Amino acid sequence: MIEFFHVKRDIPFMSYGKLTTAISLVTFLVAVVFLGYKGLNFGVEFTGGTVMELQYGQSADLNQIRDSVSAMKYGDPQVQALGTTRDVMVRLPATKLHTAAQISDAVLATLKKDRPDVQMRRVEFIGPSVGDELVSHGITALVLVCVGIVAYLAVRFEWRFAVSAILANMHDVVIILGFFAFFQWEFTLTVLAAVLAVLGYSVNESVVVFDRIRENFRKPQMRGREVPQIIDNAITATMSRTIITHGSTEVMVLSMLVFGGPALHGFATALTIGILFGIYSSVLVASPLLLMFGVTRENMIKPVKVKQEAVV
Amino acid sequence: MNRYPLWKYFVIVVSLVVAALYTLPNLFGESPAVQISTARSSAKVDDALQARALAAIKQVGLTPDATLADANSVKFRFKDTDAQLKAKDAVQAALGDDYSVALNLLPQTPQWLISLHAKPMSLGLDLRGGVHFLLEVDMNAALSKQLDKTAGDIKRELRDRKIRYGKIARVRDSVVVQLRDAQTVDDAANALRTALPTLALEQSKAADNYTVTVTFTPQGLQQLKSDAVKQNITTLHNRVNELGVSEPVIQQQGEGRIVVELPGVQDTAKAKDILGRTATLEVRMVDSDPNHIDAALKGNPPEGTELMPEQGSRGSGVLLVKKDVELTGDNINDAQAGFDDHSQPAVHLNLDSAGSSIFGTLTRENVGKRMAMILVEKGKGEVVTAPTINSEITGGRVQISGAMTSQEANDTALLLRAGSLAAPMNIIEERTIGPSLGKDNIEKGFHSTLYGFLAVAVFMMVYYRVFGVVSAVSLACNLLFLLALLSMLGVSLTLPGIAAIALTLGMAIDSNVLINERVREEMRNGMTPHMSIQNGYAHAFATILDSNVTTLIAGLALLIFGSGAVRGFAWVHCIGIVTSMYSAVFVSRGLINLIYGYRRRLSSLAV
């Protein structure tokens, strides 16, 4: 039997509580600072504007493209390579003066004049009103996910568990956003989907640990132990599973990052960061928080409800 | 103890067979096809058309592999694109302009699978290539246009009733009629109440301010908006048909928005041009002089007249009409199919005030002659109907009836309505995906899922041995169930959807890891192998349920609030969570039971 994590004695995670909380707090604050200072580089879906993906027969001259598009006076263009030297992305801000239809056609015509080997791969135009709606929908979705999860956990466990889980996971979300702000990666609709998926996934993680904590509280042989010891035992017992599960998901996501091409890049990046911090936060943020909120055995035992045994 | 009753194995086997059947169509790929649909609502798709098209194809020495007909189109499938192109040209030449002939891709699903309603997943635009537009109907313009017409109607009504009025002005969203005294205010209000029952009236009898203010009721406003969107959608449908797009999607989204998706269309400039174009109705007089008709048929029409093709119940033919346009479709408020006094199908037109007075004069001066209603599209006119004028027609209500069926009346009404857009539209979102990018996306999505899956499966087998093999197999089952459900539900697969498949597989393994770890733990705690399996599964289940429900909450929120890309992701994600519960818990337990459950003396587990 191969075992990566065969730990004989419980690791005293809770005694590092102060340290891990401090680390979390610092990373969290750093992320918030970047978010506030640099802001997110919102994708065209949110800001409105036009994005064109072009492919050239041979490697493209970005400066020349930038000059040609600038000369058309549709606003300040962003021109960047997209993975290869042949693929180019041109981004233009939303303008009131021209309709989208005119812009993309005119740009392609101009670039064709410079280099006939250019080919349009993708055009995306989003009017500004759509962007505002997406932002409000995104925020609503985020709030709804949080409320839903807190409600479910509060019913299944207890409010302390629910609040610590959601705080730990919001911490993950803020850190992902912080990364996107720091590196000025494009924050698109798919990245938002990834962030929300991380929220669900990461709560998953806390739930597994909490489930163990609840079980330990109810176990007769754990009766004499202190609360921190019970939590330590729960974390140690689930650690192997935590690492392997996250490893598997991470492998999938990395596969997307490597083989998925530019279309899936942002999505996979957000998930990669989210999953790595998910491991950390569910173990070392959610549990100390639980302790801080003063969870006791009585919180879990009081409702004398027989834990429902599953019929498998 | 670790044995399933027979019916549980049966459920597993049946679900796997069903899933395999419904996943199967995705493996057959697509072959080129030619699709014929009507370009005008007066042309029908029926068996006769199918026979004509088939004859045309046979004439160029081709035989289609399969023929598929539905209510609105006929499709012929071919072996390769050469045959497809040749057939398309032949069919187009044979059928003429009344039908649009488009190139399409049809799934090569065998007949026995089609009869089971098994069909491959439909691909989203980002995987197929094509254009996506989101159009916003300018409601203010629609309202403004309607208020202008209402002002004209009021003017006409008051003049007919001989009620003297002062200024009629539009004030914001209302029409204000200035009147002389309290008596005329009452008269005007009574007259307008009967003439315009859908509008709200407000009287003011203050000294020096005798007015009637006309506004839309909230219901009327709602009706106006929904009619505007509906009419625009009808018009767009008609126009998209002209483009020869194989499977267009034109749908209302929200209150005043319309989504148009045109798969396979690459020429966006042309698409935009056609979506924004207007078609109009023209009323002209018919020249019935036999000498003139003879001359025209010899290719020499007299000055100021032209030959115009005629469509309709009396068969196709030509009519000689004058070039002077008496009235245009801009003066039509509405066209509805209905019945005349003799219970014959008819089309009721409602003209605006200017149109009514022009029409009144025209009919008064031309009793006994024929007039032609001509629909001008693509710069080409076509006579829809050419009735004889029996008497002067006043009041702006025109009825067109003849030997037509109610279906034809509906079609004509629709054509007249669909001629132009009710309100201007703005493109607020546009997405074009080239076909090469679509193919790339499928390939990349497929590869990333495949490699990720293989890596996870190999790891599981090495790390958990027999239990790992069971986990890998149940993960594969999960993929099968997921693909089958997606195909059955007809959810269209997008690139984020493929990403969700990969992610769901990565997350689904969590359940198996939980179970396997639990079984190991029970063994470590000194349980017998059979007890370990039993307890491992039982203890893991509560955790699996909790963690999947929380993930599902996030998935559902995405589904409800997401749009476009996010929805595609959320659908697959939510379905994947449900299938993963089934396969990771129920199916994997079934496999474990088969492997270990029937061994009496079990001393160890390969976990």
Side-chain angles (χ1 to χ4, degrees):
Chain A
M1 170 156 69
I2 311 172
E3 260 188 289
F4 290 163
F5 310 95
H6 189 69
V7 189
K8 285 270 155 51
R9 232 185 295 145
D10 293 348
I11 305 170
F13 286 105
M14 288 307 105
S15 59
Y16 310 136
K18 280 216 178 85
L19 183 70
T20 54
T21 314
I23 293 174
S24 300
L25 211 62
V26 168
T27 38
F28 182 83
L29 287 177
V30 168
V32 170
V33 166
F34 280 123
L35 269 174
Y37 182 65
K38 284 193 160 181
L40 283 174
N41 175 18
F42 280 111
V44 72
E45 294 109 318
F46 294 104
T47 57
T50 310
V51 167
M52 280 163 276
E53 271 179 42
L54 307 162
Q55 192 174 51
Y56 281 84
Q58 272 104 42
S59 62
D61 181 355
L62 293 184
N63 287 326
Q64 191 206 335
I65 296 170
R66 197 171 292 127
D67 292 345
S68 299
V69 180
S70 294
M72 300 178 73
K73 302 234 176 335
Y74 284 134
D76 191 20
Q78 271 182 37
V79 178
Q80 62 191 80
L82 204 70
T84 68
T85 53
R86 292 168 52 213
D87 292 302
V88 179
M89 188 174 88
V90 179
R91 201 170 143 179
L92 286 162
T95 63
K96 285 248 153 63
L97 297 172
H98 310 274
T99 67
Q102 295 162 350
I103 294 178
S104 57
D105 292 344
V107 169
L108 186 65
T110 308
L111 293 178
K112 267 235 160 80
K113 231 180 277 161
D114 294 345
R115 286 268 298 270
D117 60 338
V118 64
Q119 204 195 341
M120 185 74 84
R121 294 263 279 177
R122 185 172 78 96
V123 180
E124 199 160 331
F125 160 79
I126 310 286
S129 61
V130 182
D132 293 345
E133 246 176 59
L134 282 179
V135 172
S136 73
H137 276 180
I139 291 170
T140 320
L142 195 69
V143 171
L144 206 81
V145 170
C146 291
V147 171
I149 288 171
V150 167
Y152 181 77
L153 291 185
V155 171
R156 283 286 283 173
F157 294 89
E158 213 243 0
W159 70 267
R160 290 180 182 85
F161 287 82
V163 174
S164 349
I166 212 71
L167 281 180
N169 294 308
M170 287 313 290
H171 155 269
D172 294 354
V173 167
V174 170
I175 285 174
I176 299 176
L177 296 181
F179 267 95
F180 273 79
F182 180 76
F183 291 105
Q184 287 293 296
W185 291 326
E186 199 184 13
F187 189 84
T188 59
L189 210 54
T190 36
V191 175
L192 179 71
V195 168
L196 290 173
V198 163
L199 199 55
Y201 180 69
S202 210
V203 167
N204 221 341
E205 207 38 61
S206 312
V207 167
V208 172
V209 177
F210 288 174
D211 223 57
R212 259 316 162 97
I213 296 175
R214 175 169 62 183
E215 204 182 308
N216 282 352
F217 274 138
R218 289 173 178 162
K219 266 189 195 158
Q221 66 262 41
M222 292 274 177
R223 192 144 291 163
R225 306 263 198 107
E226 291 291 313
V227 176
Q229 287 175 330
I230 280 177
I231 296 178
D232 285 342
N233 175 274
I235 296 176
T236 311
T238 53
M239 197 173 65
S240 171
R241 170 260 155 205
T242 305
I243 307 285
I244 290 169
T245 304
H246 279 94
S248 306
T249 317
E250 193 62 66
V251 163
M252 271 294 187
V253 172
L254 283 178
S255 169
M256 250 188 272
L257 194 63
V258 176
F259 302 108
L264 287 177
H265 196 267
F267 180 81
T269 312
L271 278 174
T272 305
I273 301 166
I275 290 170
L276 289 179
F277 275 87
I279 306 180
Y280 168 79
S281 76
S282 61
V283 174
L284 297 172
V285 179
S287 303
L289 278 175
L290 193 59
L291 205 57
M292 225 169 68
F293 285 128
V295 73
T296 60
R297 182 173 281 113
E298 283 66 42
N299 294 146
M300 283 329 299
I301 305 288
K302 236 185 226 162
V304 190
K305 233 171 40 182
V306 182
K307 188 177 159 198
Q308 68 178 71
E309 285 294 3
V311 188
V312 186
Chain B
M1 69 197 306
N2 287 315
R3 292 178 196 177
Y4 267 172
L6 203 57
W7 67 269
K8 283 197 180 174
Y9 292 120
F10 186 70
V11 167
I12 293 176
V13 170
V14 168
S15 62
L16 279 173
V17 169
V18 169
L21 272 182
Y22 282 87
T23 309
L24 210 53
N26 294 301
L27 303 178
F28 285 101
E30 292 177 316
S31 57
V34 170
Q35 173 178 329
I36 305 163
S37 47
T38 52
R40 290 163 223 281
S41 30
S42 52
K44 292 279 173 300
V45 175
D46 50 21
D47 291 347
L49 169 78
Q50 193 176 324
R52 261 167 75 201
L54 206 55
I57 294 169
K58 289 240 166 77
Q59 217 155 38
V60 287
L62 292 168
T63 332
D65 286 351
T67 306
L68 292 136
D70 56 39
N72 301 312
S73 66
V74 183
K75 296 169 195 149
F76 297 102
R77 207 166 74 190
F78 294 96
K79 272 200 183 59
D80 50 44
T81 39
D82 274 356
Q84 179 199 27
L85 291 173
K86 253 167 93 183
K88 186 204 167 199
D89 292 343
V91 172
Q92 184 81 72
L95 297 182
D97 287 346
D98 288 351
Y99 295 92
S100 77
V101 182
L103 298 177
N104 197 355
L105 286 171
L106 272 188
Q108 276 173 314
T109 317
Q111 197 55 48
W112 62 276
L113 277 174
I114 294 176
S115 59
L116 288 171
H117 296 289
K119 50 189 188 300
M121 270 178 272
S122 58
L123 297 180
L125 277 187
D126 54 349
L127 300 181
R128 263 177 105 167
V131 206
H132 160 107
F133 293 112
L134 184 62
L135 302 153
E136 191 163 53
V137 181
D138 188 342
M139 288 301 177
N140 288 332
L143 179 64
S144 167
K145 198 171 154 188
Q146 201 59 37
L147 282 170
D148 282 339
K149 281 183 179 169
T150 307
D153 287 346
I154 292 171
K155 222 173 264 181
R156 196 190 68 229
E157 191 63 31
L158 294 180
R159 201 185 300 135
D160 284 356
R161 302 275 184 124
K162 304 213 162 42
I163 298 167
R164 297 195 46 185
Y165 57 89
K167 215 170 72 186
I168 294 184
R170 267 197 51 201
V171 180
R172 281 192 301 272
D173 288 347
S174 63
V175 179
V176 180
V177 186
Q178 297 279 352
L179 294 154
R180 205 175 38 184
D181 49 34
Q183 182 56 43
T184 49
V185 167
D186 283 339
D187 290 348
N190 287 334
L192 293 179
R193 203 165 283 136
T194 40
L196 307 165
T198 54
L199 299 176
L201 301 178
E202 201 181 304
Q203 307 172 23
S204 160
K205 291 178 188 170
D208 304 331
N209 186 26
Y210 295 104
T211 57
V212 173
T213 305
V214 181
T215 48
F216 279 96
T217 56
Q219 296 97 314
L221 208 57
Q222 201 59 43
Q223 184 68 33
L224 172 74
K225 284 181 178 173
S226 86
D227 282 353
V229 172
K230 267 191 209 123
Q231 178 173 341
N232 280 10
I233 288 177
T234 315
T235 309
L236 287 175
H237 259 296
N238 290 349
R239 291 180 188 178
V240 165
N241 276 342
E242 293 170 22
L243 278 170
V245 180
S246 47
E247 281 157 36
V249 174
I250 300 170
Q251 282 170 345
Q252 182 168 0
Q253 190 181 73
E255 205 185 27
R257 288 185 181 165
I258 299 169
V259 178
V260 178
E261 288 195 345
L262 311 174
V265 170
Q266 292 309 312
D267 190 349
T268 46
K270 190 185 164 207
K272 286 175 217 162
D273 171 54
I274 287 186
L275 291 182
R277 221 194 42 218
T278 52
T280 52
L281 176 85
E282 289 177 2
V283 177
R284 303 198 214 169
M285 294 312 297
V286 176
D287 191 338
S288 308
D289 189 326
N291 296 332
H292 290 176
I293 295 173
D294 275 351
L297 285 174
K298 284 185 186 118
N300 192 15
E303 201 48 35
T305 61
E306 62 182 330
L307 281 174
M308 189 76 65
E310 187 188 6
Q311 273 280 315
S313 52
R314 282 166 292 275
S316 300
V318 287
L319 267 182
L320 188 66
V321 295
K322 297 202 168 128
K323 278 187 176 166
D324 296 330
V325 178
E326 309 284 350
L327 193 70
T328 67
D330 288 345
N331 292 108
I332 294 183
N333 269 348
D334 192 19
Q336 291 293 337
F339 295 94
D340 65 6
D341 302 338
H342 308 290
S343 305
Q344 292 295 312
V347 178
H348 302 286
L349 296 183
N350 194 352
L351 301 178
D352 63 7
S353 61
S356 318
S357 81
I358 297 170
F359 202 76
T361 318
L362 182 73
T363 47
R364 189 167 61 241
E365 288 167 359
N366 291 291
V367 172
K369 293 183 188 166
R370 284 177 78 188
M371 66 178 173
M373 308 247 167
I374 298 161
L375 195 71
V376 185
E377 269 185 301
K378 282 195 256 181
K380 252 170 54 186
E382 182 183 81
V383 177
V384 179
T385 168
T388 305
I389 301 164
N390 294 325
S391 61
E392 181 188 348
I393 300 167
T394 54
R397 290 196 172 73
V398 183
Q399 177 182 299
I400 308 171
S401 64
M404 56 176 144
T405 65
S406 46
Q407 180 61 44
E408 280 163 344
N410 269 325
D411 290 348
T412 309
L414 181 130
L415 269 177
L416 294 179
R417 273 201 314 271
S420 57
L421 297 168
M425 288 187 291
N426 301 317
I427 296 179
I428 54 169
E429 200 181 285
E430 179 204 333
R431 248 180 236 127
T432 310
I433 291 107
S436 57
L437 185 62
K439 275 210 186 86
D440 271 14
N441 281 345
I442 295 183
E443 208 167 284
K444 283 183 175 142
F446 177 74
H447 281 156
S448 48
T449 312
L450 180 72
Y451 297 142
F453 176 80
L454 286 180
V456 170
V458 167
F459 170 77
M460 289 300 282
M461 289 194 256
V462 171
Y463 194 76
Y464 291 116
R465 296 183 288 170
V466 173
F467 274 72
V469 173
V470 168
S471 304
V473 170
S474 59
L475 192 63
C477 292
N478 184 21
L479 181 60
L480 192 66
F481 289 133
L482 182 56
L483 293 179
L485 270 178
L486 289 175
S487 309
M488 278 180 195
L489 294 174
V491 175
S492 69
L493 189 69
T494 58
L495 187 65
I498 294 183
I501 292 179
L503 184 65
T504 306
L505 289 183
M507 288 164 69
I509 203 67
D510 177 43
S511 308
N512 289 108
V513 173
L514 274 171
I515 292 166
N516 296 348
E517 285 290 324
R518 266 302 169 120
V519 174
R520 276 187 175 186
E521 208 182 312
E522 299 292 333
M523 289 287 284
R524 224 178 278 138
N525 289 345
M527 294 278 174
T528 65
H530 275 305
M531 279 304 287
S532 300
I533 294 174
Q534 176 85 4
N535 290 343
Y537 269 89
H539 284 152
F541 184 77
T543 314
I544 293 172
L545 184 70
D546 280 337
S547 63
N548 276 313
V549 169
T550 48
T551 317
L552 199 59
I553 290 174
L556 286 176
L558 280 180
L559 194 58
I560 295 165
F561 286 97
S563 57
V566 175
R567 272 181 90 87
F569 173 83
W571 261 114
V572 179
H573 195 50
C574 289
I575 296 172
I577 291 165
V578 176
T579 55
S580 82
M581 289 276 284
Y582 177 76
S583 50
V585 178
F586 189 67
V587 175
S588 84
R589 182 71 188 273
L591 288 169
I592 290 290
N593 284 356
L594 273 182
I595 295 169
Y596 289 114
Y598 298 90
R599 298 194 199 166
R600 282 275 157 77
R601 285 207 189 92
L602 190 60
S603 56
S604 69
L605 293 175
V607 63

